[in-house]
Amino acid sequence: MLTRELVEERSFFDGLAVQPADGLLGLIGMYRADPQPGKIDLGVGMFRDDLGRTPVMRAVKAAEAMLLRDQETKSYLGAEGDLRFVELLAGVAFGTGADRLVGVQTPGGTGALRLGAELIARSRPGAAVWIGTPTWPNHAPIFRDSGLAIQTHRFFDVASAEIDFEAMIEDLAQARAGDVLLLHGCCHNPTGADFTAEQWQEIGRLCESRGLLPFIDLAYQGLGDGLAADAAAMRGLLGALPEAVIAYSCDKNFGLYRERVGALWVQSDASDLVRGNVLALARSIWSMPPDHGAAVVRLVLENAALRADWAAELDAMRARINGLRMALAASHERLAAIGNQRGMFALLPLGPDAVEALRRERGIYMAGNGRINIAGLTLDNIPAFVAGLAPYLS
Ligand code: PMP
């Protein structure tokens, strides 16, 4: 290993700062090595079944078999990816009202967020993006690394486990015309707290009156209240406003995580200009997105039987999550709000000491901020989980 002095003298990379390790990925190794019986993994955000597995969905397996059998070429597709995939997925996301949208395939929701951020930075260098706290930890780095300025607004009150909408609106009074407002379309990560229909309408009015561009991150469609219900807020906003950006991930609702499947849509009257720039940016970042996962989604969505089976399995995943939510909410008065929240996550009112003690003494693993992946629980281990938690919840 080079000493610090040598690095300073010799390395081309001595301008770099040491980066913190990814806490969640570190948890995976610690969990595996933990010998405690009855340990519970609520860390990484992936759906799990009753046996703790993250299965390949049935329709995905069937579509993969079709691909293997029928695919005749691996020739390049182009920067826009699989346009039939984009078109079919637009039907899932937007219903029939997707006519003013420019869409391209991206490597996951992360790729869509980054591409959207780069597009904004190209048009409005240094624009500010307003992000509610807390949020998915990758949001701020994605926008910051694209050259945009990050502004935070209050969003969630951990103690009451509720959205503090008044505080959010108060903070957004500082936003200026041309700023961007990042919104979770449904199933907020990490809190599970989604806006009411009235609050969405107020957000729409705020964007309109103050000239803010809504940037909607929709990564969990179908895992909250259902495919159409989870998209309703986004659809309403698109109907109310001339311009918006949508980053979509298929990695949760199709269980395709490592295949990196997503899409970016931009609603704008300047659609030709937008499309040309989105494609030019994609060319210079990843040239074209990986094909396999999007081809699988296309096959599932264009085949009526596979599509119905996918929707049924997604319904069952959602039912499992919401069943666990209800059981958790009923198990302790301080967890009651979890029953009104949606999606895979809840944020518990725990400090870092409590999170660490639960890990050490009970084998209960969660993110350092107290976020739990609800799908990591089972109806059988909820009592032990809540018993471990209870001393910290008073
Ligand atoms: N947005 C949110 C809110 C997320 O939770 C995630 C994944 N954890 C993503 C985007 C990115 O999804 P993907 O894995 O498709 O990049």
Side-chain angles (χ1 to χ4, degrees):
M1 231 178 73
L2 294 175
T3 63
R4 175 100 196 109
E5 206 173 70
L6 277 177
V7 170
E8 269 169 14
E9 263 176 30
R10 290 196 193 161
S11 176
F12 198 82
F13 302 104
D14 58 9
L16 302 177
V18 175
Q19 297 296 306
D22 184 312
L24 269 185
L25 296 183
L27 275 188
I28 298 176
M30 284 162 73
Y31 177 79
R32 271 203 205 113
D34 189 335
Q36 297 187 71
K39 60 186 177 177
I40 303 175
D41 180 8
L42 310 177
V44 178
M46 290 187 295
F47 177 79
R48 292 184 197 279
D49 65 15
D50 243 348
L51 300 174
R53 299 169 309 193
T54 302
V56 180
M57 293 178 81
R58 295 183 303 263
V60 165
K61 266 278 184 229
E64 287 188 307
M66 288 163 71
L67 258 189
L68 195 62
R69 194 188 61 212
D70 300 334
Q71 193 174 51
E72 285 173 346
T73 178
K74 296 281 186 190
S75 65
Y76 288 130
L77 274 180
E80 66 274 37
D82 183 333
L83 280 180
R84 179 79 179 129
F85 152 83
V86 176
E87 184 188 335
L88 287 162
L89 189 63
V92 176
F94 308 110
T96 49
D99 47 340
R100 287 172 53 239
L101 290 162
V102 170
V104 298
Q105 183 197 325
T106 58
T110 306
L113 286 160
R114 183 63 190 250
L115 189 58
E118 295 284 341
L119 181 74
I120 290 165
R122 207 179 233 206
S123 183
R124 304 276 182 124
V129 182
W130 288 85
I131 299 180
T133 53
T135 191
W136 182 46
N138 212 13
H139 275 146
I142 288 170
F143 287 101
R144 196 180 50 230
D145 287 351
S146 301
L148 299 171
I150 306 298
Q151 297 276 8
T152 59
H153 65 78
R154 285 170 291 171
F155 165 70
F156 187 73
D157 178 50
V158 179
S160 65
E162 280 176 0
I163 293 177
D164 190 345
F165 196 67
E166 258 177 49
M168 170 172 167
I169 297 297
E170 196 180 304
D171 290 351
L172 286 172
Q174 307 298 317
R176 290 177 311 190
D179 287 355
V180 179
L181 178 59
L182 180 69
L183 298 158
H184 296 229
C186 69
C187 305
H188 187 275
N189 178 7
T191 68
D194 292 334
F195 299 117
T196 63
E198 293 72 35
Q199 288 170 341
W200 275 107
Q201 279 173 11
E202 195 169 335
I203 289 168
R205 286 192 293 271
L206 181 88
C207 289
E208 192 181 14
S209 64
R210 302 190 65 88
L212 308 180
L213 177 74
F215 193 133
I216 302 158
D217 181 0
L218 191 62
Y220 297 92
Q221 190 189 3
L223 288 164
D225 285 317
L227 282 167
D230 292 347
M234 174 185 70
R235 293 175 188 177
L237 213 54
L238 291 182
L241 296 167
E243 298 193 306
V245 178
I246 301 100
Y248 191 101
S249 172
C250 296
D251 291 326
K252 318 291 156 56
N253 57 5
F254 283 83
L256 280 163
Y257 310 88
R258 68 172 70 164
E259 301 295 353
R260 317 301 306 128
V261 193
L264 172 75
W265 282 280
V266 179
Q267 172 169 291
S268 170
D269 285 336
S271 52
D272 289 343
L273 200 55
V274 167
R275 178 179 292 285
N277 279 275
V278 164
L279 293 180
L281 285 164
R283 284 291 284 166
S284 73
I285 309 177
W286 50 69
S287 183
M288 55 197 72
D291 176 65
H292 179 80
V296 164
V297 170
R298 167 172 52 75
L299 287 174
V300 169
L301 293 180
E302 69 189 1
N303 177 306
L306 290 185
R307 187 177 180 133
D309 190 49
W310 163 67
E313 193 169 357
L314 183 60
D315 285 350
M317 288 160 66
R318 182 175 65 249
R320 173 176 151 68
I321 293 171
N322 286 340
L324 291 165
R325 277 192 175 280
M326 296 313 145
L328 259 185
S331 69
H332 194 288
E333 60 175 359
R334 294 281 279 124
L335 301 178
I338 291 176
N340 304 323
Q341 297 163 352
R342 285 295 175 271
M344 226 133 71
F345 305 110
L347 191 66
L348 303 179
L350 301 175
D353 292 351
V355 170
E356 205 202 310
L358 285 167
R359 189 170 70 228
R360 230 183 21 247
E361 290 158 20
R362 300 271 185 161
I364 295 172
Y365 286 72
M366 65 183 75
N369 61 355
R371 186 195 82 170
I372 57 168
N373 172 14
I374 289 174
L377 291 164
T378 65
L379 289 177
D380 289 342
N381 68 18
I382 283 182
F385 171 66
V386 176
L389 215 55
Y392 301 101
L393 288 179
S394 49

